[in-house]
Amino acid sequence: MLRFLKLTNWPWVPFNWSVARESDRPVINSQYWLDPSEHFQLREELEALYEPWHQSLGVSSAQQQGNIPSRALGSGFEYAESQAYQPGDDIRFLDWRLMAKKQQAFTKWFEPERLENWCLVLDESASMRFGTRTRLKVQQACRAIGSFAFLSEKRQSQLRLMRFSAQNKEIAYSPVWTGRNLFEQAMAFVSNKKASLDIEKRLQNASQSHLADSVESEVNAFNTLLQSIPQDLPAGSKLVFVSDFHALHKHAAKVLNHLSFLAQTFQVMAVVVEDMAERELPQNTGLELVNLQGKNPVSLDAQQQLNYSAWANRTFDERKSFMQACGVKVIEWRTDEKIGELLQRLKS
């Protein structure tokens, strides 16, 4: 008999590897969400996909910094003004036309190049440590983080990361990275379960002595996360949350208000990681649901399974609508889907 686990604000959510075939089940590593060999494979996959994907964007030359497409970046060669020549000024930038008119040396000044900024947020809360196909949700979330870090590297952007868990309200912050190897640095940061890296950690003081397994505590924890976005993150930055947004529902007004506020300052994106069994229970007889303590088993008949699927799809669609109403771009991505499918959804 298959057994399932109840998770807070969802009535019943499947939590059992027996749902999947042996070859489809997630592989769990005791030290890493994704081990270093998977980092290498992911980079190879992204390298193979990047050029066709990039060319399909159809970015004009006016939107490029060198070969880096972005509507937000200055070219670094945009003329600003001419100022009186000062000793030490680069003679290559003398304004000869103005010199001839004014009979005085002038130097051309240009707008400084503005680096694009990315802030990626990984949710590794308890609800993310679930999966029936291919990977746990947190493993797939790490792959999403790696994909964005790879794109950030290609665009020569500045990148910072955050790791968050609703159960202990711990938020870990990476340094601000630029240059090469952003992908490798990001994967090392998010993949190590114990986060035993040279990173800056900041513990948020919980308002309770411990976090109960309740909807309200998860809402408070997620709200704390939104309030903890670095204050020095420049306006217009890309702010990407990778989560199942387990705490987000129509009664989470504080969270929705903060999302709306952030979306007024940043380009906010939500990558919603789902497992296919969360929307539709497997068509097996004898399904049994249990609570978090493994007690109070409840059997489901065929009609109850259909009722669950209808409820789940409605709940997931409502959650997406809530975020879109806040000005957040929403991308849904299942644990069994490939990187190419994520990249294609980024284009829309």
Side-chain angles (χ1 to χ4, degrees):
M1 180 174 289
L2 302 178
R3 301 176 73 82
F4 292 79
L5 176 67
K6 184 178 186 295
L7 292 177
T8 55
N9 62 331
W10 297 339
W12 300 102
V13 176
F15 192 86
N16 189 281
W17 314 135
S18 299
V19 172
R21 298 188 304 271
E22 185 71 33
S23 60
D24 290 338
R25 297 177 191 173
V27 177
I28 312 300
N29 184 297
S30 60
Q31 185 177 359
Y32 302 103
W33 294 126
L34 297 176
D35 67 44
S37 67
E38 292 176 283
H39 303 176
F40 178 77
Q41 293 170 2
L42 179 57
R43 177 178 269 284
E44 282 196 326
E45 187 175 356
L46 287 164
E47 290 284 4
L49 292 169
Y50 178 73
E51 281 304 324
W53 175 81
H54 179 259
Q55 292 173 9
S56 70
L57 296 177
V59 182
S60 69
S61 58
Q63 294 174 309
Q64 296 197 22
Q65 175 198 7
N67 292 323
I68 308 164
S70 174
R71 289 173 292 181
L73 297 182
S75 69
F77 297 99
E78 294 178 2
Y79 173 76
E81 61 178 343
S82 292
Q83 297 181 4
Y85 174 83
Q86 299 292 329
D89 285 355
D90 193 329
I91 62 172
R92 293 178 300 171
F93 299 113
L94 290 176
D95 190 336
W96 297 101
R97 180 176 297 180
L98 190 59
M99 286 172 60
K101 181 178 181 180
K102 299 286 188 178
Q103 298 298 305
Q104 180 184 347
F106 284 86
T107 304
K108 290 182 178 179
W109 287 79
F110 299 85
E111 291 290 344
E113 189 174 87
R114 291 180 292 134
L115 288 177
E116 190 177 49
N117 283 267
W118 294 60
C119 181
L120 310 179
V121 185
L122 171 69
D123 182 0
E124 49 187 355
S125 302
S127 62
M128 290 289 287
R129 306 179 186 200
F130 163 72
T132 64
R133 295 290 192 280
T134 312
R135 299 176 185 88
L136 302 182
K137 288 191 287 185
V138 69
Q139 292 174 318
Q140 188 74 324
C142 288
R143 286 166 55 82
I145 293 288
S147 301
F148 286 113
F150 177 86
L151 296 178
S152 179
E153 177 183 305
K154 289 291 187 181
R155 296 167 71 106
Q156 299 180 7
S157 306
Q158 290 186 332
L159 174 69
R160 68 182 81 192
L161 281 79
M162 299 168 62
R163 291 174 61 162
F164 163 76
S165 171
Q167 279 60 51
N168 56 20
K169 276 192 173 179
E170 180 180 89
I171 303 176
Y173 298 80
S174 79
V176 179
W177 293 313
T178 57
R180 298 180 179 178
N181 302 320
L182 293 186
F183 173 84
E184 283 73 20
Q185 293 177 92
M187 293 307 295
F189 180 83
V190 298
S191 291
N192 191 295
K193 287 184 178 181
K194 296 181 180 179
S196 54
L197 306 170
D198 183 19
I199 59 177
E200 176 187 359
K201 286 188 177 182
R202 191 172 81 194
L203 299 179
Q204 307 297 328
N205 295 324
S207 58
Q208 302 167 311
S209 58
H210 64 278
L211 291 177
D213 185 15
S214 66
V215 176
E216 188 61 29
S217 65
E218 290 199 5
V219 169
N220 289 337
F222 202 82
N223 194 53
T224 298
L225 169 67
L226 298 181
Q227 292 176 306
S228 302
I229 300 302
Q231 294 184 356
D232 62 342
L233 186 66
S237 297
K238 297 181 184 296
L239 177 58
V240 183
F241 296 92
V242 187
S243 171
D244 58 4
F245 296 89
H246 185 239
L248 189 60
H249 53 89
K250 62 183 177 182
H251 301 298
K254 293 181 292 186
V255 174
L256 295 173
N257 287 339
H258 270 108
L259 276 176
S260 295
F261 176 78
L262 290 171
Q264 293 174 21
T265 306
F266 309 112
Q267 301 177 56
V268 183
M269 180 184 299
V271 178
V272 184
V273 184
E274 305 174 1
D275 186 272
M276 62 186 303
E278 291 176 321
R279 284 187 178 262
E280 184 175 357
L281 296 176
Q283 299 301 309
N284 295 74
T285 58
L287 291 179
E288 183 179 84
L289 309 181
V290 296
N291 63 15
L292 288 167
Q293 290 74 41
K295 301 177 181 179
N296 304 323
V298 177
S299 297
L300 294 184
D301 59 29
Q303 185 57 50
Q304 289 172 318
Q305 291 185 47
L306 291 175
N307 292 344
Y308 168 84
S309 296
W311 170 87
N313 281 283
R314 183 172 63 252
T315 300
F316 277 62
D317 293 342
E318 286 178 350
R319 177 189 59 196
K320 180 178 180 179
S321 297
F322 294 150
M323 287 190 284
Q324 289 176 329
C326 294
V328 176
K329 177 181 175 66
V330 181
I331 294 177
E332 294 171 314
W333 198 38
R334 293 199 318 267
T335 56
D336 60 326
E337 290 187 301
K338 297 181 178 180
I339 290 294
E341 291 165 294
L342 176 62
L343 294 180
Q344 287 300 314
R345 287 168 200 166
L346 284 175
K347 291 166 52 177
S348 60

